[in-house]
Amino acid sequence: MSFTFRCFNPDADAPLLHSWVTRPYASFWGMQSATVRDVAEEYSKIQSTGHHHALLGLDGGVPAFLTEEYLPPLSPLAGVYATQPGDMGCTCWSGRRKGRSGPASPPG
């Protein structure tokens, strides 16, 4: 495995992420009925905050996962749990995979 990262591009990458977040395993995130446009708009908001960033993780150049980093005191969870100065939050989405060990699948 050889991972690289790039900034998530909401318009270009929304179809791929949509194919991941609307799967049954992603139901916790509440995007089951989201459209590609909904995903693009949500991630445009995330990328514009200045404190919440989304990065697409590539395995050998193939999209494999999405990771988000954010400042917990500025997140929707602020006040739900205690934070300390310097804390960072992180979320990671694992992309759809072919079989058990194949590369992540592009949309379609």
Side-chain angles (χ1 to χ4, degrees):
M1 285 187 246
S2 175
F3 294 121
T4 55
F5 296 88
R6 68 169 173 76
C7 287
F8 183 81
N9 179 322
D11 291 322
D13 297 326
L16 172 66
L17 187 58
H18 178 265
S19 75
W20 296 349
V21 302
T22 56
R23 296 235 166 242
Y25 70 78
S27 63
F28 173 82
W29 299 103
M31 298 185 85
Q32 298 295 288
S33 63
T35 65
V36 172
R37 185 81 240 138
D38 294 337
V39 172
E41 288 174 3
E42 183 64 25
Y43 279 84
S44 290
K45 290 178 197 171
I46 285 171
Q47 296 294 66
S48 70
T49 65
H51 60 80
H52 189 162
H53 306 97
L55 301 169
L56 192 61
L58 309 169
D59 181 6
V62 177
F65 59 94
L66 180 88
T67 187
E68 298 175 28
E69 63 166 352
Y70 57 91
L71 296 175
L74 301 176
S75 81
L77 297 175
V80 174
Y81 58 91
T83 61
Q84 301 293 316
D87 281 357
M88 291 292 296
C90 182
T91 300
C92 187
W93 288 91
S94 178
R96 189 174 124 202
R97 300 183 67 81
K98 291 181 181 176
R100 293 182 183 242
S101 60
S105 301

